[in-house]
Amino acid sequence: HHCLAIANCLNRIINLHLIGVTMKTHLTKVSSNKKTGPIPVTTSSRETCPDSCPLKKNGCYADNYHLGMHWDKVTEGARGSDWSEFLAEIKSLPRHQLWRHNQAGDLPGLGDNLDVVKLAELTKANKGKNGFTYTHKKPTERNLRAIRAANGGGFTINLSANDLAHADKLASYGVPVVTLLAEDSPKKQRTKNGRLVITCPAQLSDKINCARCGLCANADRDYIIGFPVHGTAKKKANIIARAVA
């Protein structure tokens, strides 16, 4: 209990520091990305990404030319809103609107630190909407508690795995999971522990996008969704995805 109290205190100090940094979050009301389709998508500052993510500056698709430049602008504070403005933007989305949080960036908080207060605020702002996202932040007990609460509150957060073995481990926490897949992966496969992995339908057909699919927004699904490596740095990402051979 004493250690947990110290950890919570440190997290508060880190997040108070972040208020000084005033990280921005940007909402694109209608995405022009053919994979997501014309739904709202957001971008969070680079500082939200944990150093523990093996894709950080090492094969992340979000570093692709156009998205990477936009991400830099948000990180520099040239684009985007402060947190309270951002929450108001989410609240104003149409009822039942499917939207993707973070085409680039991670949940609020510096690196692996999760700002549980901001996450609870975002979950509340999403009430009546259909928001979903992914996180590479470490699945600590504290983080998992907040992530489970968000999922229970209607804001779907998928834990992001780096390979199939990692996906098995993350799935044991009882929250939705997605995973990186090697480039030549089959449409359906199973992990070593027998969990079903289906490849993202939008990566298999140009006729399907997030707007039409919505599988990642379903927190109650009993299968893992796989994303074959893509982007300009997919060779690096492919090495990570093949970690379980």
Side-chain angles (χ1 to χ4, degrees):
H1 288 297
H2 183 62
C3 290
L4 186 61
I6 292 171
N8 283 335
C9 184
L10 285 171
N11 276 311
R12 285 194 198 99
I13 291 167
I14 290 168
N15 286 318
L16 281 171
H17 168 70
L18 284 183
I19 291 169
V21 177
T22 58
M23 289 195 297
K24 301 278 186 169
T25 310
H26 182 273
L27 173 66
T28 303
K29 289 194 174 177
V30 182
S31 174
S32 58
N33 184 314
K34 66 179 183 179
K35 292 296 180 190
T36 59
I39 61 170
V41 297
T42 71
T43 305
S44 294
S45 177
R46 286 181 181 269
E47 286 96 348
T48 59
C49 287
D51 288 334
S52 59
C53 175
L55 296 169
K56 192 170 184 178
K57 298 176 183 174
N58 186 45
C60 178
Y61 80 93
D63 281 321
N64 284 359
Y65 186 66
H66 291 294
L67 180 53
M69 285 198 304
H70 172 62
W71 198 10
D72 285 338
K73 292 284 186 188
V74 174
T75 303
E76 292 158 9
R79 292 180 186 170
S81 309
D82 66 27
W83 189 249
S84 60
E85 289 171 337
F86 172 65
L87 292 176
E89 288 177 321
I90 297 304
K91 283 179 187 174
S92 71
L93 291 175
R95 192 159 175 77
H96 306 305
Q97 174 68 60
L98 181 73
W99 66 281
R100 176 180 171 176
H101 186 40
N102 293 333
Q103 58 176 341
D106 210 304
L107 295 173
L110 180 63
D112 269 310
N113 176 69
L114 175 57
D115 189 326
V116 297
V117 174
K118 283 187 175 178
L119 180 55
E121 290 171 343
L122 182 55
T123 302
K124 188 177 178 183
N126 176 65
K127 194 170 178 65
K129 284 80 173 163
N130 195 10
F132 70 98
T133 192
Y134 313 91
T135 184
H136 256 107
K137 290 184 190 283
K138 287 180 180 176
T140 61
E141 274 307 311
R142 181 177 181 276
N143 287 357
L144 281 171
R145 258 198 315 274
I147 288 166
R148 288 187 186 114
N151 278 307
F155 180 53
T156 304
I157 300 173
N158 296 272
L159 298 184
S160 291
N162 307 318
D163 54 60
L164 291 175
H166 189 210
D168 252 341
K169 184 179 180 182
L170 294 182
S172 70
Y173 297 126
V175 289
V177 172
V178 298
T179 187
L180 197 65
L181 291 177
E183 201 172 2
D184 52 358
S185 294
K187 289 182 184 179
K188 289 184 180 180
Q189 59 186 308
R190 294 205 176 253
T191 64
K192 283 187 177 177
N193 288 351
R195 291 184 174 93
L196 179 64
V197 181
I198 69 161
T199 297
C200 163
Q203 286 193 242
L204 295 174
S205 169
D206 287 338
K207 294 178 182 177
I208 302 174
N209 53 32
C210 295
R212 290 182 173 182
C213 175
L215 292 182
C216 290
N218 177 10
D220 298 323
R221 65 177 192 269
D222 59 357
Y223 50 87
I224 294 164
I225 297 172
F227 295 95
V229 297
H230 56 289
T232 52
K234 67 181 178 184
K235 284 184 180 178
K236 290 179 181 177
N238 210 32
I239 293 167
I240 295 164
R242 289 183 184 279
V244 60

